[in-house]
Amino acid sequence: MSPAPRRRHGHGHPSRNRRPGGPRRTGRPEDLVRRTAFDVIRAVETRDAYANLLLPARLRDRDLTGRDAALATELTYGTLRGRGTYDAVLALCSDRELRRIDPPLLDVLRLGAHQILATRIPPHAAVGTAVDLARTVAGPGQAKFANAVLRKVASRDLDGWFEIIAPPGGSESARLSARYSHPGWIVNALGDALGPDRAELPDLLEADNLRPRVTLAARPGRATVAELAEAGAEPAPHSPYAAILPEGDPAAVPAVREGRAAVQDEASQLVALALAAAPLEGRDARWADLCAGPGGKAGLLSALATERGARLLAADVQPHRAALVGRAVDDRAAVIAADGTVPAWRPGAFDRVLLDVPCTGLGALRRRPESRWRRGPEAVAELGPLQRELLRRALDAVRPGGVVAYVTCSPHLAETRVVVDDVLRERDGVEPMDSPAALTAVAPALTGVGDGPYAQFWPHRHGTDAMFLALLRRT
């Protein structure tokens, strides 16, 4: 078990005989644990790697299991989530500007600050191990600097530092940004998205810093929630196909290992189920997922389509993502590499269309904590034209009487309702459906997704990603 956070907010040397990707187990196990966390953090910084993909591979390569794997995971994700807060503290404890500190050394300092301020590791041990790591990656001189800085960090607990970096009299945006480690532009965007519920903003930011639950999806006709429960999972509150795995490796669940179930957020399941359950006029035989990679929603939709005698076409513009989709869907589905803005299908070909557009991913900050530091507000403007064009082509692809589900894993207004409203204003023959009502039809106990016509999930309310859904019918 990893050291538990104090607050809810959130070495080895190379070996000629090591397994690919990792050093052998030499020296103290805790050294390898911290080096693993550091290596993943550096890869995130220098190669735009995704921690949720890279870390499991590093743990396997370095034979880290049990408590060691849990600690490496906590140190990696905790440091990435808390970077904004830790940088504010480090800036006060260093006689150098942070931008003048060598990037590898700065990552060591962030890792040390996380251990000191947000875990139960004794401060002297946290400082000592961070200094040892600094000596290894930056040299003896830099280790002395790291020692001096981290001893200052350890002079106060996190609440004590909050009184300095997030004083009550400051602006709300700056205060929440420092306390909950979100860039200011994201704080403002989330507050705008909450609208009249803006008072919930601290709860939302805090939820972004909590480790998400592992949620599984039993693919209809191939696995059941009861089977997942036998493997140690617990039925989820809303999706009839979802189960929560309290601990352990999902790959150890037979249904997941055999491709009959998959890891999938409950909101992601529910938006697909809402599309599948939306009332249609006439034929219901041809479904499409036009931005299908890596295949989570397509896997669920293809199973539902097969049960109902329909067929799914899944498309993704990137061939390697289309290949992943091919492994997620059943044999009746067709998978192609195609650009949704340059359709490879005739107009009006489909009865139901899922469009999960590329977005900033602000709704999945719990799972990909590094993404909050990767993008700036300009990314929203850059993605807007693509999102609008994809929605236009999706509406062309569905027949009159058919339904399009516009989905984003972002609550940012400029990626959600603004995109939909802009496209609806420019064309006739399309009407928004009541998306919250469609969700309630498949998840009767679900509340708090809005008053319609659009629906928005929230981490702090639903324990899910902040998924947006707009169901649109061609009339």
Side-chain angles (χ1 to χ4, degrees), residues 237-260:
H238 300 299
S239 169
Y241 303 106
I244 296 166
L245 191 64
E247 59 184 4
D249 183 359
V253 177
V256 175
R257 189 169 58 248
E258 296 161 9
R260 297 181 293 109

Side-chain angles (χ1 to χ4, degrees), residues 34-331:
R34 286 165 177 80
R35 182 57 192 252
T36 299
F38 170 80
D39 288 345
V40 173
I41 292 166
R42 287 304 300 148
V44 166
E45 185 75 16
T46 60
R47 296 194 282 111
D48 282 345
Y50 288 102
N52 65 322
L53 300 179
L54 181 59
L55 179 60
R58 288 291 179 266
L59 296 177
R60 288 192 300 269
D61 292 340
R62 300 178 184 186
D63 296 320
L64 292 173
T65 59
R67 292 169 60 91
D68 290 340
L71 178 56
T73 301
E74 164 61 25
L75 295 182
T76 302
Y77 283 101
T79 303
L80 291 170
R81 289 189 189 101
R83 172 177 151 175
T85 298
Y86 302 144
D87 280 4
V89 173
L90 291 168
L92 296 175
C93 296
S94 172
D95 58 5
R96 304 179 200 171
E97 295 182 27
L98 297 191
R99 63 187 180 88
R100 297 187 179 279
I101 298 175
D102 289 343
L105 179 60
L106 182 55
D107 281 336
V108 172
L109 295 176
R110 290 165 174 158
L111 184 57
H114 177 66
Q115 294 179 83
I116 293 166
L117 298 176
T119 75
R120 292 177 180 165
I121 297 170
H124 69 276
V127 173
T129 54
V131 170
D132 288 344
L133 182 58
R135 184 177 295 107
T136 300
V137 303
Q142 301 292 3
K144 292 180 180 178
F145 172 74
N147 183 62
V149 171
L150 292 176
R151 284 183 177 277
K152 292 179 183 178
V153 172
S155 66
R156 290 179 172 85
D157 63 12
L158 193 54
D159 284 327
W161 283 115
F162 281 148
E163 293 177 4
I164 299 173
I165 65 173
S171 73
E172 181 192 43
S173 176
R175 179 171 50 81
L176 294 177
S177 177
R179 176 172 282 272
Y180 296 105
S181 191
H182 284 63
W185 74 273
I186 294 181
V187 172
N188 292 331
L190 294 178
D192 291 343
L194 284 167
D197 300 318
R198 188 183 177 93
E200 298 178 17
L201 182 55
D203 292 335
L204 171 57
L205 297 173
E206 184 174 31
D208 273 349
N209 289 334
L210 298 178
R211 184 182 301 177
R213 304 174 300 181
V214 175
T215 305
L216 307 178
R219 289 178 173 154
R222 304 173 67 186
T224 64
V225 170
E227 179 185 358
L228 298 179
E230 290 176 2
E234 303 167 355
H238 300 299
S239 169
Y241 303 106
I244 296 166
L245 191 64
E247 59 184 4
D249 183 359
V253 177
V256 175
R257 189 169 58 248
E258 296 161 9
R260 297 181 293 109
V263 176
Q264 186 177 24
D265 182 72
E266 194 174 12
S268 180
Q269 297 179 43
L270 289 169
V271 296
L273 294 176
L275 170 64
L280 281 188
E281 303 165 4
R283 184 192 69 198
D284 189 14
R286 299 172 183 169
W287 300 6
D289 183 347
L290 302 186
C291 296
K297 297 180 184 67
L300 182 56
L301 283 175
S302 71
L304 290 169
T306 295
E307 283 193 332
R308 288 156 57 172
R311 294 192 67 184
L312 175 75
L313 172 71
D316 198 274
V317 67
Q318 299 181 13
H320 76 277
R321 289 171 63 87
L324 294 174
V325 176
R327 294 198 281 271
V329 299
D330 64 20
D331 293 339

Side-chain angles (χ1 to χ4, degrees), residues 355 357 387 391 404-408 415-416 419-420 468-470 472:
L355 184 69
V357 296
Q387 292 163 344
L391 180 53
V404 172
Y406 176 87
V407 174
T408 72
E415 299 190 89
T416 57
V419 170
V420 177
F468 172 85
L469 170 66
L472 308 171

